[in-house]
Amino acid sequence: DLGAHPDHMAKEIDEQPGVVADVLARVRHRTADGSTWVGLGLPPFDRLAVVACGTSLHAGQVIANTVRSLGGVPTDTVVASEVEHVVLGPGTLVLAISQSGETADVLRALDRLDDRHPVLALTNHVHSSLARRADAVLDCHAGPEVGVAATKSFTAQVVVGVTAVVSALVASGRLEPSRAVALVDDLARLPERMAAAAVVAADRVPLLAATVRDAPGFLFLGRGPGLPYAAEGALKVKELSYRWAEASPAGELKHGPLALVDDGTPVVVVDHGDPRLQSAIAEVRARGGFVVTIGGAGSDVPAVARPADATDLAWGRSVAPWGPIEAVVPLQMLARELALQLGCDVDKPHDRARSVTVR
Ligand code: M6R
């Protein structure tokens, strides 16, 4: 039932604050005391390998950044279809992420991995093939996702995943419980931030999309914790608008991708308040590129408006290890609006299936 929404993608984007609030209500009290992790019954781990595809891989990159930066745990993110080129050391826990739990590349990757590695599944379908194959399962609790483009499942994967790794780090003594409490408190404000981001984006995105819709291609830039969101924004544009969209670390621009920037080339910058993004923005503008900043206070499409006396993990002070989660809302809305203005079906892009069960 679409209710007042014009399509499933719009509905699922709108549902995100509620999904995050629901997830946090389930896991909040079990995060800072380590009990989420203990309840999974998995052995301790020294390394983590995240295995996934597409949007789930981007969620995995956010989770990997979190476990690395908070716990110093060596972590690999592995594109599921490339697993045979990866060597996993002893003591590695495999975190397999799949909204559907039926993605053939992910299931095949697990078949190819050594049985010694315990597998934790993060999925929206707890009776899926992935869940059956795993040693323990984390439910995303995103509810049914009908649109082919993954939206609310991404944010649910991120929130369930980062709270689970925070819990694991507390349980293993790598993270102080008081720090975990502060991190979870920061996440608790996410529903409100996402809802506010959607209101601003609804106002600004239609005109932005109209300005850039005739461009043949798009560049998305980010840095550090902002990078998975840039990659996610680019994937959504490709999948829905059939336009090329490349995501690049901002620092890599000068090593090649800048050559793509010409008069009017749209360059979407995920701005999480890192001043080092400014030099990339200046390089793009010097070549005539059309810069759209998304995320930070004062950007073209801000995802957050911080009070001057903010004392939490807000942008502009220290960045949360999971980066600018709320920035995904304007990125999803931009991709959807662009696709609609180009006459594309946002719920059923051509040649795309809800879950990819072939390899
Ligand atoms: O069901 P999965 O999470 O395993 O699907 C993986 C990808 O096929 C999927 O995330 C795809 O990239 C999305 N449709 C992108 O919006």
Side-chain angles (χ1 to χ4, degrees), residues 53-56 98-100 103 148-150 157 235-236 239 352 356:
C53 314
T55 292
S56 294
S98 171
Q99 187 284 134
S100 60
T103 296
V148 163
Q157 285 167 344
L235 177 60
K236 288 289 164 287
E239 183 178 39
R352 296 284 295 116
V356 184

Side-chain angles (χ1 to χ4, degrees), residues 1-2 5-13 146-147 151 346-347:
D1 175 19
L2 281 174
H5 297 90
D7 49 69
H8 288 285
M9 186 178 182
K11 177 169 182 272
E12 288 159 9
I13 290 173
V146 178
T151 53
V346 292
D347 283 342

Side-chain angles (χ1 to χ4, degrees), residues 116-190:
R116 281 176 311 164
H117 302 294
V119 174
L120 172 59
L122 173 54
T123 179
N124 204 24
H125 291 269
V126 292
H127 302 294
S128 59
S129 305
L130 173 61
R132 288 197 299 276
R133 162 73 177 75
D135 299 292
V137 181
L138 284 167
D139 188 342
C140 290
H141 292 293
E145 195 171 57
V146 178
V148 163
T151 53
K152 63 177 180 170
S153 63
F154 170 82
T155 37
Q157 285 167 344
V158 166
V159 174
V160 173
V162 300
T163 51
V165 296
V166 164
S167 174
L169 294 175
V170 171
S172 63
R174 291 178 175 108
L175 186 70
E176 285 295 320
S178 59
R179 174 103 167 101
V181 169
L183 288 162
V184 175
D185 284 349
D186 185 70
L187 272 182
R189 288 187 280 277
L190 186 57

Side-chain angles (χ1 to χ4, degrees), residues 13-324:
I13 290 173
D14 270 10
E15 283 172 352
Q16 291 178 108
V19 166
V20 172
D22 175 52
V23 164
L24 286 171
R26 291 169 190 274
V27 303
R28 193 172 177 177
H29 65 286
R30 298 170 51 82
T31 301
D33 66 357
S35 59
T36 295
W37 171 257
V38 173
L40 291 170
L42 290 167
F45 61 95
D46 302 319
R47 306 182 64 97
L48 186 69
V50 179
V51 177
C53 314
T55 292
S56 294
L57 185 68
H58 300 150
Q61 289 164 348
V62 176
I63 297 164
N65 287 340
T66 302
V67 81
R68 267 189 219 114
S69 84
L70 289 180
V73 177
T75 301
D76 298 304
T77 47
V78 183
V79 176
S81 57
E82 289 290 320
V83 79
E84 56 263 51
H85 307 295
V86 176
V87 177
L88 303 184
T92 301
L93 170 73
V94 173
L95 173 62
I97 310 178
S98 171
Q99 187 284 134
S100 60
E102 301 297 343
T103 296
D105 284 327
V106 174
L107 298 171
R108 177 175 156 271
L110 297 185
D111 290 344
R112 295 208 152 215
L113 287 174
D114 192 322
D115 278 351
R116 281 176 311 164
H117 302 294
V119 174
L120 172 59
L122 173 54
T123 179
N124 204 24
H125 291 269
V126 292
H127 302 294
S128 59
S129 305
L130 173 61
R132 288 197 299 276
R133 162 73 177 75
D135 299 292
V137 181
L138 284 167
D139 188 342
C140 290
H141 292 293
E145 195 171 57
V146 178
V148 163
T151 53
K152 63 177 180 170
S153 63
F154 170 82
T155 37
Q157 285 167 344
V158 166
V159 174
V160 173
V162 300
T163 51
V165 296
V166 164
S167 174
L169 294 175
V170 171
S172 63
R174 291 178 175 108
L175 186 70
E176 285 295 320
S178 59
R179 174 103 167 101
V181 169
L183 288 162
V184 175
D185 284 349
D186 185 70
L187 272 182
R189 288 187 280 277
L190 186 57
E192 182 197 327
R193 291 181 191 171
M194 293 187 105
V199 171
V200 177
D203 183 47
R204 303 197 184 174
V205 157
L207 181 59
L208 268 176
T211 312
V212 298
R213 73 174 165 224
D214 295 325
F218 296 76
L219 199 53
F220 284 72
L221 301 179
R223 234 193 135 98
L227 204 46
Y229 302 93
E232 180 56 11
L235 177 60
K236 288 289 164 287
V237 167
K238 285 183 259 204
E239 183 178 39
L240 297 174
S241 298
Y242 325 131
R243 296 286 159 99
W244 70 255
E246 176 162 334
S248 168
E252 275 291 289
L253 196 59
K254 54 189 172 301
H255 299 289
L258 188 59
L260 292 170
V261 178
D262 211 335
D263 255 355
T265 305
V267 180
V268 179
V269 181
V270 176
D271 167 17
H272 64 286
D274 186 331
R276 290 170 298 177
L277 287 166
Q278 294 310 319
S279 58
I281 291 174
E283 284 166 8
V284 169
R285 289 206 170 116
R287 293 185 65 100
F290 179 75
V291 174
V292 180
T293 51
I294 286 193
S299 61
D300 297 317
V301 191
V304 64
R306 308 306 308 166
D309 63 346
T311 53
D312 58 14
L313 293 162
W315 300 354
R317 302 232 168 174
S318 73
V319 178
W322 37 79

